[in-house]
Amino acid sequence: MFRSPSLPPPPRTSGAHPPGARPGPRGRRFRRTSPAAAVAAAAALAASAALTAPASARPSGPPAQPDKRPVATGYGGAVSTVDPYASRTALDVLKHGGTAMDAAVAAAATLGVTEPYVAAIGGGGFITYFDARSGRVHSIDGRETAPGAMREDAFIDPATGEPLPFGEAVTSGLGVGVPGTVAQWELALDRFGKRRLRHLLRPAIEVAERGFVVDREFHDQTAVNEERFRDIAPTRELFLPGGKVPEVGSVFRNPDLADTYRALARYGGDWLYEGRLGREIVRTVADPPVAPGSGRTVRPGLMRPGDLAAYRAKLRKPTHVSYRGLDVYGMPPPSSGGSTVGEALNILEEFDLDADRPADALHLYLEASKLAYADRGRYLGDADKVDVPLRELLSQGFARERACLVKPGEAAAAPVPPGSPDGRYGPCEPARGAAAPVTREGPQTTHLVVSDRWGNVASYTLSIEQFGGSGITVPGRGFLLNNQLTDFSFAPPAPGAAPDPNLPGPHKRPRSSMAPTIVLEDGRPRLALGTPGGSTIITTVLQILVNRLDLGMDLPAALGAPRATQRNTPLVYAEQEFIDRYGGELRARGHELAPFAGPPRGVIGAANALEVLRPGLVQAVAEPERRGGGSALVVRPAR
């Protein structure tokens, strides 16, 4: 197995590009360093010695499990993630002069160790970022792409002519998209970082080597996957040590991933997209390493080396709507998060939401979600491959036309038809046509938020799709591959039906619901938030915004409040506390409520958020209970 020595990585010195900087592979740029910048780099390197010390100088035993706390308020930078190791990593980067983007990438790399079933370099994600220097919000697309050989009928079983069973498509090479995470990290750091990737991988390497304490969430996620993990030889070897699910309180180590991160630190993203690691990924996808004696059908995938070489992370223009005088920015296609949250907010702005009458406000929230999801299903896909009427979907004229269909005292029968975002809007235009079904989208994702001392803010959602992704580990590399291509629609629409913008296609990115969101007030950050949850991501982000901006809750209460999700389905699925608190009044309006089936059962999302309370003072908020609770930290706590 390849091993490389520890490297003392010099930090980056600037997020700006000097004149003459030339573009590099996958959007990277290579820059010259001025003498002044070299002095700054030396000073920063000395300040960051704690993060770059050789492994031999570090403690060799397993690290103590960091404390978890759901709320932290203070100065100098803040972070909220689902995992205390990742939050501590981000905090160390912030303390040693890193930007919010540096800290976000370092935390994500650590999540690849401690949350390997939702975050890995075998997956992808989306970043929304406020750059304090320019005062602008940017979005960075690291979504996986389909192989060039993928066609609309890729998930049709040739033996039956029917779509593959979802579980069979998930645990297969066929569902694996070209990973985007590493290219996204390099592009993000080049534009908005001060540190090099090889520097930011050091904390994750240490956690992978020394191990982390297994918590209930890691144990339960492994147990859910135990049956299929046993059927993939390298996955069984890594995640079922000794043939058993790791016990709560035990220490889990991943030396293979530590080696992989070391090689990535040395050789950069080209090692994955054009080098040895990429070839290993392709071999694994083409010939999944099924364990001897397994009876599971694990179909080969279509990925080829040229698919990895062609991959590019992309800077995109974020979505933007105005809501109650605030500017709300989100992720554009191929995510449907920014457009669907934005459309629902535009609809809600046509109404007064009374904090003293929360059931009335929640009725409107559910109705706005229903309409926005109808339009999401009909129009949203990869805008590089299909025509997405994004400007019209986010227009006030279209929102007024859709809002006219909302009755304050009566729920519309779902599914409702999509609207017509055609630029010609009349008073109360009735919707026509059939609603698209909600596609299956794994709820097992993760989110993090970070701010720094300069006022930069990162909102980052990353995923490998299902808990455990495809279930296929690259042999000897310590990470799972995604199953993001199962986010595509599996079958073309029936003859005469409306076209489906989310069918598979060559080099196409599957539609996502990830919704990393940033809210500005007078041009400066006020809120940043996001959540895992598959297609419930959109409703969770929307409900937190309504709770905070309309119902008068502070951010911890807005995030902790019970949730419901309406995705243009006949039933509203909700957490039990939501049903107990609001079910009677909402049923009287015609809503049919049922407990959310999960996974995990009865729990919708696991959000992270931050709020700038006043200049310099930031409150970071994580889940107090959902999925075991999260971890919020600040550089200098407020007294």
Side-chain angles (χ1 to χ4, degrees):
M1 182 181 296
F2 172 85
R3 294 180 183 272
S4 64
S6 299
L7 299 172
R12 307 294 287 267
T13 59
S14 172
H17 303 302
R22 60 184 180 88
R26 277 163 291 285
R28 297 191 300 276
R29 291 175 182 266
F30 301 98
R31 294 173 284 182
R32 303 179 182 89
T33 303
S34 66
V39 173
L45 179 60
S48 61
L51 287 177
T52 61
S56 59
R58 295 175 178 233
S60 58
Q65 185 174 23
D67 292 334
K68 274 187 180 181
R69 59 186 62 139
V71 180
T73 305
Y75 304 89
V79 56
S80 175
T81 81
V82 299
D83 177 72
Y85 295 94
S87 293
R88 185 176 63 182
T89 291
L91 192 73
D92 286 346
V93 173
L94 294 173
K95 285 181 176 180
H96 291 92
T99 68
M101 188 64 82
D102 294 326
V105 169
T110 301
L111 287 170
V113 181
T114 59
E115 297 280 332
Y117 307 141
V118 296
I121 58 173
F126 297 107
I127 302 172
T128 305
Y129 191 77
F130 175 80
D131 176 41
R133 179 180 297 178
S134 65
R136 295 177 56 198
V137 178
H138 304 263
S139 62
I140 305 175
D141 174 1
R143 183 65 160 166
E144 299 88 341
T145 58
M150 179 159 269
R151 300 295 182 264
E152 288 188 357
D153 62 353
F155 290 106
I156 301 296
D157 187 343
T160 65
E162 297 294 324
L164 293 173
F166 185 72
E168 187 174 323
V170 167
T171 309
S172 76
L174 192 62
V176 180
V178 176
T181 291
V182 172
Q184 183 184 39
W185 286 352
E186 290 191 325
L187 177 59
L189 294 173
D190 186 70
R191 291 298 299 265
F192 305 113
K194 288 188 175 183
R195 301 286 189 266
R196 295 185 184 276
L197 178 60
R198 68 191 191 199
H199 169 83
L200 299 172
L201 290 172
R202 288 287 303 141
I205 292 170
E206 180 179 337
V207 176
E209 285 182 327
R210 296 177 60 193
F212 62 91
V213 179
V214 171
D215 61 11
R216 172 57 58 183
E217 190 71 9
F218 184 88
H219 172 277
D220 290 350
Q221 289 176 15
T222 310
V224 166
N225 281 291
E226 181 179 3
E227 183 178 341
R228 68 179 184 135
F229 280 8
R230 289 192 185 280
D231 290 335
I232 309 296
T235 307
R236 179 179 60 189
E237 180 182 352
L238 176 60
F239 294 112
L240 298 173
K244 298 179 180 179
V245 174
E247 295 182 0
V248 175
S250 64
V251 175
F252 186 89
R253 296 181 175 86
N254 192 341
D256 285 348
L257 184 58
D259 288 338
T260 299
Y261 276 173
R262 282 197 190 92
L264 184 62
R266 181 169 186 176
Y267 298 115
D270 286 348
W271 182 59
L272 191 158
Y273 293 101
E274 299 180 33
R276 175 176 172 178
L277 181 58
R279 293 190 295 272
E280 292 177 10
I281 290 173
V282 169
R283 284 198 301 270
T284 304
V285 170
D287 185 16
V290 180
S294 169
R296 184 181 296 273
T297 298
V298 183
R299 294 175 181 265
L302 303 172
M303 192 184 300
R304 300 293 181 265
D307 296 317
L308 278 83
Y311 185 85
R312 298 291 184 273
K314 296 189 176 185
L315 281 168
R316 298 191 186 274
K317 181 180 179 181
T319 62
H320 170 241
V321 298
S322 177
Y323 185 70
R324 316 293 191 201
L326 303 172
D327 293 294
V328 182
Y329 291 88
M331 199 69 210
S335 178
S336 62
S339 64
T340 312
V341 169
E343 180 186 344
L345 289 174
N346 283 344
I347 293 170
L348 287 172
E349 193 156 32
E350 298 296 311
F351 301 90
D352 292 325
L353 275 62
D354 188 346
D356 294 327
R357 300 178 62 86
D360 291 352
L362 290 169
H363 163 73
L364 295 172
Y365 149 70
L366 294 172
E367 293 299 282
S369 298
K370 190 182 297 179
L371 293 165
Y373 267 85
D375 299 324
R376 168 190 180 271
R378 170 64 183 85
Y379 299 109
L380 263 294
D382 182 352
D384 292 341
K385 303 294 184 180
V386 297
D387 183 22
V388 178
L390 185 62
R391 180 175 179 179
E392 294 302 327
L393 286 169
L394 294 175
S395 69
Q396 290 294 334
F398 183 60
R400 284 190 291 270
E401 190 172 87
R402 298 297 270 157
C404 196
L405 302 175
V406 175
K407 298 178 180 179
E410 181 182 347
V416 300
S420 300
D422 53 12
R424 300 186 299 275
Y425 306 120
C428 241
E429 178 71 19
R432 300 180 179 88
V438 177
T439 53
R440 298 187 67 167
E441 190 175 339
Q444 300 83 359
T445 302
T446 192
H447 183 80
L448 62 91
V449 289
V450 188
S451 67
D452 63 30
R453 68 181 74 174
W454 300 283
N456 303 301
V457 175
S459 184
Y460 182 10
T461 312
L462 57 158
S463 177
I464 60 173
E465 220 275 346
Q466 297 284 313
F467 278 139
S470 65
I472 301 171
T473 298
V474 181
R477 293 303 179 188
F479 66 90
L480 289 153
L481 293 170
N482 70 84
N483 66 288
Q484 296 287 10
L485 301 187
T486 62
D487 282 352
F488 283 124
S489 302
F490 275 27
D500 185 343
N502 192 42
L503 288 171
H507 304 299
K508 191 176 182 181
R509 300 178 189 226
R511 180 173 62 207
S512 169
S513 295
M514 288 184 255
T517 302
I518 292 178
V519 180
L520 304 187
E521 183 174 23
D522 298 326
R524 306 299 298 175
R526 178 176 173 185
L527 295 168
L529 69 156
T531 182
S535 60
T536 70
I537 288 173
I538 293 164
T539 53
T540 297
V541 168
L542 179 61
Q543 189 177 355
I544 292 171
L545 289 172
V546 168
N547 289 344
R548 179 69 190 94
L549 303 178
D550 292 298
L551 299 186
M553 301 180 194
D554 62 16
L555 188 59
L559 193 142
R563 293 174 187 149
T565 180
Q566 169 51 273
R567 293 162 287 165
N568 199 25
T569 57
L571 295 178
V572 174
Y573 294 98
E575 296 175 339
Q576 188 60 49
E577 186 180 350
F578 184 96
I579 296 173
D580 295 342
R581 189 179 299 181
Y582 304 111
E585 291 181 84
L586 292 173
R587 287 189 179 105
R589 290 168 170 81
H591 296 281
E592 295 186 43
L593 282 75
F596 182 69
R601 185 173 181 81
V603 176
I604 300 176
N608 304 90
L610 63 80
E611 179 171 359
V612 180
L613 301 176
R614 61 173 183 266
L617 180 64
V618 179
Q619 183 177 68
V621 182
E623 293 283 1
E625 296 180 3
R626 291 182 182 96
R627 298 197 188 182
S631 172
L633 297 170
V634 293
V635 173
R636 298 194 309 278
R639 294 182 179 178

